[in-house]
Amino acid sequence: MKIIDKIDSSIDELSEKLLEGELIVIPTETVYGLAANALNSDAVSKIFKVKGRPQDNPLIIHTFSKEKIFEYTINQPEYLDKLIDKFLPGPLTLVLEKHHLIPDIVSAELKSVGIRIPNKKVTLDLLKKVKVPLAAPSANKSGRPSPTKIQHVIDDYSIDNQEIYACVDGGDCDVGIESTIIKCEKDKIVILRPGLISIEDLKKVIDIEIEEYKGNENLSPGIKYKHYSPDIPISISDKYISDKNVLNLYFSDINLNADNLKKISENNLYDIYREAEKFKYKSINIILTEDLKQRKGLFNRILKSIDT
Ligand code: TXA
Ligand code: MG
């Protein structure tokens, strides 16, 4: 796996390699993604193999313009234009009916496809150069916390990995948790995965019914799998645990100074999980407060990382 830190001089090479069916790790504003040419089923199948991803868990595709979103999907609802104009490029994935151009392996045989425009210049440049859409799940090994730094990718796959051609260094991811996923039906939107873009944000832009996240496995096959978890146990409680083997994480301000206490937000949760492994903590204690519950995306990732 080559590390690319100057995309300008490598963009032709990366684009050629993607068209030849190679895998490349791309930075996005949310998390790093493991990308392949979405129009090439063989290339897409490598993603499932390298990540250890179950075949029934669909991938989202990444593109660079509104026109392309309309090209890869069909029967778009009327409100779609407004959503795209307001939120994309950005951390929002639209689940729409799939055009037959997109192979079934991408959507795990579903009739719909998740699509978004990432808000990261180097990746947008690559998408424009390569022209084809890129299928990309988060670039972690299946079940692990998503990578928000290039080092996380190297830790999961090792620099000697021969199955991934290159990893594009885009620095740390600003958002730090994965995109909000919404299913765009004709008269209704359903939140399939909460994220930084909230129901309230969506409601400000369009006047349509929006169904809260309910964790419905039939709508989003990925939900049933364990996610985002470090190799140490995580639990939730209402107070600080004063044991040096336990790393305490909190969201609200608390009046306490201790080495084994860290403040979390969307953009450092996964890094802190990975750091906890490196520093060999025996467990992680999340101090639950009302305002953490209200951070829907962050709280969802915490709950999912505990589920077994
Ligand atoms: O921020 C993100 O969304 C990152 C970056 C790389 O773009 N990607 C990401 O992909 O988080 P992944 O594969 O780790 O998570 C995508 C989720 C999965 O839970 C999958 O089940 C769901 O999206 N999904 C994909 N296509 C779907 C579809 N057609 N219908 C319902 N759920 C879908
Ligand atoms: Mg993922």
Side-chain angles (χ1 to χ4, degrees):
M1 179 167 75
K2 273 194 191 184
I3 304 295
I4 309 284
D5 52 12
K6 294 252 181 329
I7 187 136
D8 291 347
S9 50
S10 315
I11 197 157
D12 290 339
E13 173 196 344
L14 294 178
S15 163
E16 265 167 40
K17 290 291 171 186
L18 283 166
L19 293 173
E20 285 169 13
E22 297 278 357
L23 302 184
I24 292 180
V25 174
I26 53 168
T28 83
E29 80 282 34
T30 57
V31 301
Y32 277 82
L34 179 60
N37 174 0
L39 305 183
N40 176 341
S41 297
D42 290 339
V44 172
S45 74
K46 290 186 196 167
I47 296 180
F48 287 91
K49 180 168 160 273
V50 169
K51 234 186 103 91
R53 185 179 179 99
Q55 290 284 343
D56 67 347
N57 193 0
L59 307 177
I60 65 180
I61 62 173
H62 299 69
T63 190
F64 57 86
S65 70
K66 189 196 309 197
E67 290 67 33
K68 289 285 178 188
I69 294 180
F70 276 81
E71 189 179 325
Y72 302 135
T73 60
I74 55 169
N75 297 331
Q76 300 86 0
E78 264 174 36
Y79 58 81
L80 190 68
D81 255 287
K82 268 192 188 166
L83 279 185
I84 297 175
D85 290 345
K86 176 69 188 176
F87 294 109
L88 297 182
L92 182 70
T93 296
L94 309 161
V95 172
L96 293 157
E97 284 182 52
K98 179 173 88 64
H99 190 282
H100 63 75
L101 265 172
I102 306 295
D104 285 340
I105 186 173
V106 171
S107 61
E109 312 288 329
L110 296 178
K111 289 198 161 30
S112 60
V113 65
I115 185 163
R116 82 179 189 99
I117 305 177
N119 191 12
K120 190 81 176 182
K121 185 172 181 307
V122 287
T123 295
L124 282 171
D125 289 348
L126 182 60
L127 284 163
K128 284 175 195 158
K129 179 82 200 175
V130 72
K131 294 194 177 70
V132 297
L134 296 179
S138 51
N140 50 288
K141 280 264 165 104
S142 220
R144 301 266 304 143
S146 300
T148 58
K149 295 172 184 275
I150 198 153
Q151 188 58 45
H152 300 162
V153 178
I154 297 168
D155 289 345
D156 271 15
Y157 295 98
S158 125
I159 198 82
D160 306 324
N161 188 298
Q162 301 290 316
E163 293 169 308
I164 301 174
Y165 179 75
C167 178
V168 180
D169 189 351
D172 297 354
C173 301
D174 295 332
V175 175
I177 59 167
E178 308 76 3
S179 59
T180 305
I181 304 182
I182 60 174
K183 188 160 203 289
C184 301
E185 297 176 358
K186 188 163 178 288
D187 305 310
K188 184 174 80 169
I189 283 178
V190 183
I191 311 263
L192 299 184
R193 179 174 71 186
L196 205 63
I197 295 179
S198 65
I199 284 207
E200 293 71 34
D201 296 330
L202 296 168
K203 279 190 173 151
K204 277 184 209 147
V205 178
I206 44 167
D207 182 21
I208 189 163
E209 184 193 341
I210 305 181
E211 197 178 294
E212 283 251 18
Y213 172 72
K214 288 202 188 114
N216 186 336
E217 195 186 295
N218 293 328
L219 291 178
S220 196
I223 282 170
K224 63 180 173 292
Y225 296 108
K226 191 170 190 231
H227 276 302
Y228 323 120
S229 306
D231 283 338
I232 40 181
I234 306 173
S235 56
I236 290 189
S237 80
D238 58 0
K239 40 181 172 318
Y240 168 76
I241 299 177
S242 123
D243 173 343
K244 66 175 179 25
N245 292 313
V246 179
L247 179 63
N248 291 271
L249 304 183
Y250 71 104
F251 178 70
S252 324
D253 280 321
I254 57 173
N255 216 352
L256 194 75
N257 221 337
D259 287 341
N260 64 342
L261 182 68
K262 277 206 181 318
K263 187 170 166 67
I264 43 166
S265 64
E266 286 80 2
N267 67 10
N268 70 5
L269 178 75
Y270 295 145
D271 187 44
I272 289 178
Y273 276 0
R274 286 171 179 266
E275 286 285 299
E277 287 175 338
K278 282 203 175 139
F279 288 103
K280 305 224 175 328
Y281 280 100
K282 291 218 165 62
S283 66
I284 294 173
N285 171 45
I286 311 237
I287 304 171
L288 183 60
T289 46
E290 213 28 66
D291 49 358
L292 173 56
K293 282 193 203 160
Q294 296 315 314
R295 293 298 273 233
K296 297 269 165 41
L298 178 62
F299 191 47
N300 165 268
R301 300 314 185 275
I302 289 171
L303 291 179
K304 296 286 298 179
S305 65
I306 298 170
D307 279 351
T308 50

